């Protein structure tokens, strides 16, 4: 009997804690109704949570009630089964973010996994995540400083190491940027912000910037072009203005079956054409890059359009001929 009573109390405490986390203020009578107990039992359970370190405050008013506040120390955490699995999955993903928290995330994952029931541990272990490529490491302090500046709408100043800039070049004044978003993409962290000196939006790799202190003045946040930072960043990587689409798009017929083209078409559209050929609609950031990319298929190419793609092939052929004729 004591074991059953203890189990019921623990389960009720977990339910009470979950309810306190999803709503700011809870009247005592409403909590009692949700838990199926008396208000006196709710008061006792609240006292138990306080003993465990949870800062549950009493709320004054006609109905009275309770509120879960932020505390001065980390209390023991209680999760239901779905929350525990979600936490373990998030920690496993965090190991490959390049945010400088890999070791801490791995230790936290080991701690959570150790106390999981066997059935939940098996669900988590079935998730296999492999990071493709090498993640670029970024200091956690840099990410936190940038996040703080974004939240406070404060201009940041930093030196930026551009790979195309010679090492012996004259030093430049620090960049002045209004930070708006931190985005992780393909294992790299990027800062999206408004460059005050260039009066334009810019994207910076966080691992290449060195922050200056203190921050600059506060600013009024503006909206990222298009309203969606993920779309904006994807567009920038494609050389487009605001739309997530290649600025140069063309259509060709390749002398290869569609089975040989489709795996390498990327975000292009490959369709079967007559006589074992493939019609491919694809794009790139420039006409020259599009023509060069199509030549990787090592087959005859018939240009359907537009004329700019045909011109790019002609110019590329001329450059290739001149390169082949050069010696030494």
């Amino acid at each position: 009997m004591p074991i059953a009573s203890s189990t019921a109390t623990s389960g009720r405490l977990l339910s009470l804690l979950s309810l306190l986390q999803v709503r700011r203020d809870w009247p005592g009578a409403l909590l009692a109704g949700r838990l199926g107990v008396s208000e006196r039992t709710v008061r006792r359970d609240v006292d138990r949570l306080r003993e465990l370190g949870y800062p549950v405050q009493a709320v004054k008013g006609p109905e009275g009630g309770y509120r879960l506040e932020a505390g001065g120390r980390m209390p023991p955490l209680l999760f239901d089964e779905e929350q525990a699995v979600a936490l373990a999955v998030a920690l496993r993903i965090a190991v490959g973010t390049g945010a400088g928290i890999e070791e801490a995330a791995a230790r936290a994952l080991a701690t959570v996994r150790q106390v999981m029931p066997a059935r939940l541990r098996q669900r988590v272990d079935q998730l296999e995540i492999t990071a493709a490529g090498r993640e670029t490491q970024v200091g956690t302090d840099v990410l936190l400083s940038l996040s703080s500046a974004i939240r406070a709408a404060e201009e940041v100043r930093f030196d930026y190491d551009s790979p195309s800039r010679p090492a012996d070049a004259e030093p430049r004044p620090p960049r002045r940027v209004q930070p708006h978003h931190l985005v992780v993409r393909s294992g790299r962290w990027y800062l999206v912000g408004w460059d005050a000196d260039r009066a334009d939006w810019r994207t910076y790799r966080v691992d290449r910037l060195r922050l200056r202190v203190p921050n600059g003045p506060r600013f009024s946040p503006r909206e990222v072009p298009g309203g969606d930072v993920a779309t904006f960043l994807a567009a920038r990587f494609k050389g487009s203005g605001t739309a997530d689409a290649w600025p140069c798009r063309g259509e060709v017929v390749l002398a290869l079956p569609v089975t040989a083209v489709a795996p390498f078409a990327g975000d292009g559209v490959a369709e079967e054409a007559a006589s074992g050929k493939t019609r491919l609609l694809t794009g790139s950031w420039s006409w020259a890059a599009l023509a060069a990319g199509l030549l990787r298929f090592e087959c005859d190419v018939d240009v359907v359009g537009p004329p700019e793609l045909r011109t790019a092939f002609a110019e590329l052929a001329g450059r290739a001929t001149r390169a082949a004729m050069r010696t030494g």
Side-chain angles (χ1 to χ4, degrees):
M1 184 67 180
I3 295 178
S5 177
S6 176
T7 301
T9 300
S10 298
R12 194 174 61 248
L13 284 178
L14 179 58
S15 299
L16 174 58
L17 184 59
S18 297
L19 289 173
L20 290 172
Q21 290 171 337
V22 299
R23 174 172 167 170
R24 180 168 176 78
D25 294 332
W26 278 94
L30 184 56
L31 279 175
R34 287 292 190 93
L35 297 172
V37 296
S38 66
E39 292 187 51
R40 182 180 179 182
T41 300
V42 170
R43 288 195 296 272
R44 289 177 176 175
D45 287 347
V46 166
D47 288 338
R48 291 188 179 98
L49 288 179
R50 288 168 177 164
E51 292 173 359
L52 291 172
Y54 291 95
V56 183
Q57 304 296 328
V59 177
K60 296 181 179 180
E63 296 182 329
Y66 303 95
R67 174 188 303 162
L68 182 63
E69 301 281 6
R73 64 183 180 88
M74 181 71 76
L77 300 179
L78 300 175
F79 299 102
D80 60 31
E81 293 189 356
E82 291 303 317
Q83 288 174 326
V85 172
L87 176 61
V89 171
L91 288 170
R92 180 160 290 185
I93 294 173
V95 173
T97 60
I101 59 171
E102 289 77 6
E103 182 181 351
R107 287 189 286 109
L109 176 60
T111 301
V112 173
R113 183 184 178 279
Q114 183 176 3
V115 298
M116 277 184 163
R119 65 183 185 282
L120 298 186
R121 192 182 308 126
Q122 184 177 10
R123 288 179 60 187
V124 172
D125 291 345
Q126 287 175 348
L127 179 66
E128 294 292 338
I129 299 176
T130 302
R134 178 181 297 179
E135 294 79 20
T136 304
Q137 294 298 308
V138 177
T140 307
D141 55 339
V142 176
L143 294 175
L144 292 175
S145 296
L146 289 173
S147 296
S148 177
I150 292 170
R151 194 164 48 251
E154 292 179 347
E155 185 179 88
V156 292
R157 301 180 305 123
F158 56 84
D159 300 303
Y160 194 68
D161 299 325
S162 175
S164 60
R165 183 172 171 78
D168 57 351
E170 290 292 325
R172 289 177 174 175
R175 307 285 180 99
R176 298 189 303 115
V177 174
Q178 298 175 1
H180 285 263
H181 295 276
L182 272 175
V183 185
V184 62
R185 175 188 171 101
S186 301
R188 288 176 175 163
W189 287 87
Y190 296 90
L191 172 67
V192 177
W194 175 264
D195 191 309
D197 294 326
R198 294 164 178 78
D200 193 13
W201 289 92
R202 289 289 190 272
T203 301
Y204 302 92
R205 274 183 47 177
V206 177
D207 61 297
R208 291 178 179 169
L209 60 83
R210 288 171 285 117
L211 289 173
R212 297 274 192 112
V213 293
N215 289 341
R218 294 176 65 88
F219 62 90
S220 297
R222 62 187 75 203
E223 189 177 41
V224 172
D228 180 75
V229 66
T231 301
F232 170 80
L233 189 62
R236 285 299 174 99
F237 274 96
K238 290 182 176 179
S240 179
T242 58
D244 184 11
W246 295 109
C248 301
R249 291 179 60 82
E251 184 176 353
V252 298
V253 175
L254 303 173
L256 285 174
V258 69
T259 54
V261 175
F264 308 100
D267 58 357
V269 178
E271 299 178 344
E272 187 174 1
S275 304
K277 296 183 178 182
T278 300
R279 184 179 298 273
L280 177 64
L281 177 63
T282 186
S284 188
W285 56 85
S286 70
W287 294 112
L290 179 55
L294 289 168
L295 290 177
R296 75 186 187 278
F297 287 103
E298 297 184 1
C299 66
D300 289 340
V301 180
D302 295 329
V303 177
V304 179
E308 291 86 350
L309 179 57
R310 197 180 305 276
T311 300
F313 270 113
E315 293 175 350
L316 195 62
R319 282 155 51 189
T321 300
R322 291 189 295 273
M325 295 178 61
R326 291 192 186 101
T327 59

